[in-house]
Amino acid sequence: GRLPLIPEGTAAALTATGIALVAWAAFASVVQVLVYRRGLKLWPQPAQEGAERRSPDAVQEPRRHFDPRAIATAAAIAFCLLLASTAWALLATVSIWLALAWIAARGDREVVMAGVVIAAFLAASVLLFTLIGGIGVDLALRRSARAGLLVLVATWLRSAAGSEGLREVSRRVLRRLQRLPSVPEASRVLDELGSGRQLGTAARSALEALRGVDRRPVAVLDAVLDWVATEAARFRATPPAPPARLVVRPRDALLVALAAAPLAAIVGG
């Protein structure tokens, strides 16, 4: 109502949103195709790929306190509960479960700081925009808390299960869906991926490739494409690892059961 020449109402807002999404999709698709075409044109020929090939580092994963399947199931339950309601009782019980699960899991610490920063940023953003939307302080605080908890649950999932644990869960899920198109190929690609810790090395090499590059879109794009081609030439897939032997223990069942306990806050409310 504050903008001139623009109709008011829900239908007008939905129409404007739809037009904006279609326009953005058209623009982004054109840019994406142009980037792909430039990358294929500049991609080095096999004879020119003289970079030393390297395989992903073999990183010994620490022994996990919980079965990764139980961790993934508990995290999925927590996600569903948080998406179902923003009641303070539910948010409080999920927070208590998450704190206990985090202490009991004794997972990787390197992902914690990044998860906390992202959770704080997202929670603050949701709080700001919901307050501007005029939905009330109470609902804004509840939605902000839920956004932060969703990120923290995802962070706990990665920390508690580890990259290899999450990969093993994905392998088993894909194995049950082999009849679906593209699933066998996805399973093979998953087996050939290196350790998640390779992302740090790749990020540092990307920053090194961009150092000294002229800050113009095409120059930055060419530097990134050259970095992608170099990394691809150096990569050598490792043989698929044998399936891990997973055993469900009473502690795993207790973890999943406690993750479902906050459901009482929804039922009771």
Side-chain angles (χ1 to χ4, degrees):
R2 297 185 178 92
L3 299 177
L5 304 179
I6 294 182
E8 301 179 24
T10 302
L14 294 176
T15 302
T17 302
I19 293 174
L21 290 176
V22 171
W24 168 252
F27 169 77
S29 298
V30 171
V31 173
Q32 184 179 23
V33 171
L34 291 176
V35 170
Y36 285 167
R37 292 182 63 181
R38 189 173 184 85
L40 293 172
K41 181 180 179 180
L42 299 178
W43 195 270
Q45 298 300 320
Q48 300 173 338
E49 295 178 352
E52 180 184 356
R53 298 177 71 84
R54 65 187 180 200
S55 59
D57 295 341
V59 180
Q60 184 66 32
E61 286 278 335
R63 183 177 178 84
R64 302 293 169 179
H65 197 63
F66 294 105
D67 188 298
R69 295 170 297 179
I71 295 172
T73 302
I77 293 174
F79 279 134
C80 293
L81 292 176
L82 289 172
L83 294 175
S85 173
T86 58
W88 282 118
L90 174 70
L91 297 175
T93 51
V94 170
S95 299
I96 294 173
W97 167 81
L98 183 59
L100 295 175
W102 212 304
I103 295 173
R106 300 196 295 268
D108 300 334
R109 295 183 178 181
E110 68 267 17
V111 299
V112 175
M113 182 56 65
V116 171
V117 171
I118 295 173
F121 174 78
L122 185 60
S125 301
V126 171
L127 179 63
L128 175 63
F129 285 110
T130 49
L131 286 176
I132 292 175
I135 64 174
V137 176
D138 180 72
L139 183 55
L141 289 173
R142 286 190 280 128
R143 289 187 177 181
S144 173
R146 175 173 66 178
L149 283 173
L150 285 171
V151 177
L152 291 177
V153 170
T155 305
W156 171 81
L157 170 65
R158 168 59 181 84
S159 175
S163 59
E164 190 57 41
L166 292 178
R167 187 178 305 177
E168 183 62 30
V169 172
S170 301
R171 282 197 195 103
R172 293 173 182 248
V173 172
L174 292 175
R175 200 173 298 142
R176 296 178 178 273
L177 302 174
Q178 288 290 325
R179 295 184 178 182
L180 296 179
S182 302
V183 169
E185 181 182 2
S187 181
R188 289 193 299 271
V189 171
L190 182 65
D191 288 334
E192 294 175 353
L193 291 177
S195 168
R197 291 178 172 86
Q198 294 297 309
L199 293 177
T201 303
R204 287 190 293 270
S205 66
L207 293 175
E208 184 66 26
L210 291 172
R211 186 170 299 171
V213 175
D214 189 9
R215 301 307 186 210
R216 293 182 296 110
V218 176
V220 173
L221 172 62
D222 288 343
V224 172
L225 291 175
D226 182 67
W227 169 77
V228 171
T230 302
E231 289 293 309
R234 289 177 176 175
F235 179 77
R236 178 166 51 85
T238 56
R245 183 175 179 271
L246 302 179
V247 179
V248 177
R249 294 159 294 185
R251 70 179 72 166
D252 301 315
L254 179 61
L255 176 69
V256 175
L258 291 178
L263 180 62
I266 298 179
V267 177

